[in-house]
Amino acid sequence: MDQNQPTAILTRPAGRNTVVMNGLLRRGWWVNECPALEIREVIKDVVDIPQPESFDLIVFVSRAAVTGYQSQLALNNTFDWPQSTLAACMGPVTASVIRRVLGVTTPILHPESGHAQDSEALWPLLMALECPLKKVLIVRGQDGREWLSERLKQYGINVKLHQAYSRQVALWPQQLRDSFQSLQQKGLNPTWLLTSSHSIEAIYKNCIELGLTDWFANSTFVLTHERLRPLLGKLLNRPVNQLQIVIASPEDAVILAAFEELSASRAV
């Protein structure tokens, strides 16, 4: 690769990096796909799967939550989303997956593009509902933020947490390890796409194992939420203002624009 060629490392789960990767390649970037996490669906006994019609609202925390839950529901053979159950998520990307995978035809509650895409942004939409919520299902991985469930419980709402997938630290193949160590030896610092607290922690764990923490800390970063900034600074033991970071919402076009912004700032 050309020493002056900008390098991107995309860390979303396998199959989720294609659009951004192709966009960066067209813009002259050298791209390495490096999923931080391995996502596995969790198969439960049919009797343990909460059914949508039992809830007023189902909140999906991610795309993996949608596909994992659909796989569980498919164990009952045919399935139609009940019109009486609302669906919600943190942004328009996950909403499109809900419609496509679960066949939801009713409106889906979610913060619009350009706004924060998190529980805090979803909250006022839930509070604006005309019919009060009584039972809410939150579909997620093996753990996660408790902010939304705690707020709902404070309002007397019955909340059930349901695991539809698990996250495991992805093992980097030897070719990828060699590639990163080569970049370090050449003094080339890439731009990382970091999209969740779990993925940041997983990447840092792999960097510790390979002795790449200083190289990682000297990289530039595209983060998909402001909340990830202090976490990254804490892990790297550096003041956040000393890290080169751009915040972008999770849409592919916005992420691409963030990479271009960092590339332009380096060229100045």
Side-chain angles (χ1 to χ4, degrees):
M1 62 174 289
D2 186 335
Q3 294 277 24
N4 296 318
Q5 187 178 20
T7 302
I9 300 178
L10 307 181
T11 66
R12 290 192 287 191
R16 294 267 307 280
N17 296 300
T18 304
V19 174
V20 172
M21 177 165 38
N22 290 338
L24 289 172
L25 290 172
R26 288 194 298 270
R27 291 164 171 79
W29 287 70
W30 184 78
V31 181
N32 225 326
E33 187 175 20
C34 173
L37 299 168
E38 181 181 342
I39 305 298
R40 301 175 184 173
E41 293 180 354
V42 174
I43 302 301
K44 296 179 176 290
D45 190 278
V46 171
V47 297
D48 295 327
I49 303 168
Q51 297 301 302
E53 60 269 19
S54 300
F55 300 89
D56 304 309
L57 172 75
I58 299 181
V59 180
F60 297 93
V61 304
S62 66
R63 282 180 274 189
V66 180
T67 55
Y69 188 52
Q70 189 278 334
S71 294
Q72 293 175 343
L73 291 174
L75 297 174
N76 275 332
N77 299 318
T78 59
F79 164 75
D80 291 314
W81 186 268
Q83 294 297 302
S84 60
T85 302
L86 295 172
C89 59
M90 309 311 168
V93 175
T94 302
S96 66
V97 177
I98 294 173
R99 292 189 184 95
R100 175 174 54 84
V101 173
L102 292 173
V104 177
T105 57
T106 54
I108 299 171
L109 297 174
H110 63 83
E112 293 297 335
S113 178
H115 295 77
Q117 297 183 12
D118 55 19
S119 297
E120 288 84 346
L122 176 63
W123 180 252
L125 303 181
L126 300 182
M127 291 297 96
L129 290 171
E130 293 183 2
C131 296
L133 299 170
K134 295 180 180 179
K135 295 186 66 177
V136 174
L137 177 68
I138 298 178
V139 185
R140 65 180 194 174
Q142 66 265 47
D143 54 24
R145 292 185 70 215
E146 306 294 342
W147 187 91
L148 182 59
S149 62
E150 290 174 356
R151 289 297 299 272
L152 289 168
K153 289 175 183 177
Q154 288 172 3
Y155 276 74
I157 298 169
N158 185 314
V159 179
K160 180 177 179 61
L161 303 175
H162 177 65
Q163 183 184 0
Y165 66 98
S166 67
R167 297 175 298 265
Q168 307 294 332
V169 176
L171 297 178
W172 292 351
Q174 190 60 48
Q175 182 178 4
L176 192 61
R177 292 169 175 239
D178 292 343
S179 176
F180 289 169
Q181 289 173 331
S182 176
L183 289 172
Q184 179 195 42
Q185 292 163 5
K186 293 175 182 177
L188 299 177
N189 299 115
T191 299
W192 295 75
L193 173 62
L194 304 176
T195 60
S196 71
S197 58
H198 294 93
S199 63
I200 292 175
E201 291 165 351
I203 289 165
Y204 191 66
K205 180 178 180 181
N206 275 320
C207 284
I208 290 175
E209 181 183 337
L210 295 175
L212 296 175
T213 54
D214 288 341
W215 171 73
F216 179 64
N218 290 324
S219 302
T220 55
F221 305 95
V222 174
L223 308 181
T224 56
H225 199 288
E226 185 67 40
R227 191 181 300 109
L228 301 177
R229 193 194 297 263
L231 171 63
L232 184 61
K234 181 179 179 181
L235 276 178
L236 299 179
N237 195 28
R238 293 195 180 187
V240 171
N241 60 10
Q242 292 183 11
L243 299 174
Q244 195 168 359
I245 294 171
V246 170
I247 306 297
S249 59
E251 294 95 335
D252 292 331
V254 182
I255 290 172
L256 282 168
F259 273 93
E260 290 183 328
E261 179 182 338
L262 282 171
S263 181
S265 66
R266 282 178 166 179
V268 173

